[in-house]
């Protein structure tokens, strides 16, 4: 799907995603990344310049980097190659992972600190039933740890969401819209779980049959977040039109 989009269209989509991550309070100051693969031959990706807040990102401020996170265009901003390690590993090994999103939210980090991941406590959580991978904590991701990159790709497998234990959340998608949809609702699932656990009362888990039925309903929905994405882009066009600059 991303092959059909021009570089400018991908720049605007990714800039919109950065603004929306900021709008929904899912940032970690200037840290973490959202990236998208550019069409054409070779490994070229758009990523945020290091030091800008997500609310400051514009289409033109995004930087083209190669698989090692080295800028492939002139830029006055620094790029954090070590921060791109996780993204480059997934992009390089998953042809369908055109967009990769990684967050350090409070709710996401709380669930990443638990052994059982996302529990099927609510309809939103059930969308992720059996669909979230896990990667054990190995310290801060570094560009010299190639073996961890291999383990991360192995752990993710064909899934589209992964909990980086003791770290945070990560989603992938064939489009920016799809990856954002998955990240937003994965974050909601984490918030729901923490709120439910905080009540101190016994938690109800639906039957396996009902969970599988609901999960199949989610998986066979042809929209996959496109309607929401269009609505959110209209919101940004009204309130923060400079993201397209």
């Amino acid at each position: 799907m991303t092959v059909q989009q021009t570089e400018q269209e991908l720049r605007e989509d990714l800039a919109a995603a950065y603004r929306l991550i900021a709008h929904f309070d899912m940032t970690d100051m200037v840290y973490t990344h959202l990236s998208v693969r550019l069409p054409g031959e070779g490994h070229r990706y758009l990523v945020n310049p290091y030091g800008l807040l997500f609310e400051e990102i514009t289409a033109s401020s995004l930087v083209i980097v190669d698989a090692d996170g080295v800028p492939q265009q002139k830029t006055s901003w620094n790029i954090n190659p070590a921060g791109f390690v996780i993204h480059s590993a997934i992009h390089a090994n998953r042809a369908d992972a055109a967009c990769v999103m990684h967050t350090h939210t409070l709710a996401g980090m709380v669930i990443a600190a638990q052994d059982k991941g996302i529990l099927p406590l609510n309809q939103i959580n059930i969308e992720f039933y059996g669909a979230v991978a896990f990667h054990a904590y190995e310290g801060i991701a570094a560009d010299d740890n190639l073996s961890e990159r291999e383990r991360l790709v192995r752990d993710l497998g064909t899934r589209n969401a992964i909990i980086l234990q003791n770290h945070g959340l990560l989603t992938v998608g064939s489009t920016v819209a799809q990856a954002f949809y998955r990240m937003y609702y994965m974050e909601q699932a984490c918030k729901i779980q923490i709120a439910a656990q905080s009540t101190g009362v016994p938690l109800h888990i639906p039957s396996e049959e009902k969970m599988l039925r609901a999960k199949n309903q989610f998986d066979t929905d042809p929209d996959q977040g496109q309607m929401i994405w269009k609505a959110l882009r209209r919101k940004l066009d009204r309130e923060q039109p400079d993201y397209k600059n």
Side-chain angles (χ1 to χ4, degrees), residues 1-156:
M1 283 187 281
T2 49
V3 173
Q4 299 171 357
Q5 290 185 273
T6 65
E7 178 181 321
Q8 182 59 30
E9 289 170 335
L10 288 170
R11 283 181 176 274
E12 291 180 10
D13 260 0
L14 192 61
Y18 274 104
R19 294 295 184 95
L20 289 166
I21 290 288
H23 174 76
F24 289 112
D25 195 23
M26 294 165 63
T27 72
D28 181 11
M29 304 297 280
V30 300
Y31 303 107
T32 74
H33 301 278
L34 319 177
S35 60
V36 69
R37 181 188 295 115
L38 286 173
E41 296 182 0
H43 295 279
R44 299 188 313 137
Y45 312 95
L46 288 173
V47 70
N48 53 315
Y50 195 36
L52 283 182
L53 295 170
F54 283 20
E55 65 193 44
E56 298 178 292
I57 299 293
T58 63
S60 62
S61 68
L62 295 166
V63 180
I64 299 174
V65 299
D66 63 16
D68 297 316
V70 178
Q72 300 299 294
Q73 66 174 79
K74 290 183 179 180
T75 176
S76 59
W77 291 92
N78 292 325
I79 297 297
N80 181 13
F84 191 62
V85 167
I86 293 173
H87 294 248
S88 62
I90 296 171
H91 279 303
N93 289 276
R94 284 275 300 269
D96 63 319
C99 182
V100 179
M101 297 191 177
H102 173 44
T103 61
H104 296 162
T105 64
L106 178 59
M109 290 188 291
V110 169
I111 299 305
Q114 299 182 11
D115 287 331
K116 294 185 178 180
I118 296 175
L119 302 175
L121 302 175
N122 177 272
Q123 182 166 280
I124 287 175
N125 298 53
I126 291 171
E127 181 171 5
F128 296 94
Y129 182 62
V132 180
F134 293 87
H135 176 65
Y137 186 65
E138 298 189 30
I140 297 174
D143 54 6
D144 60 349
N145 190 355
L146 297 180
S147 62
E148 182 181 4
R149 296 173 71 179
E150 294 171 358
R151 286 188 290 276
L152 174 62
V153 170
R154 178 202 65 201
D155 292 342
L156 178 61

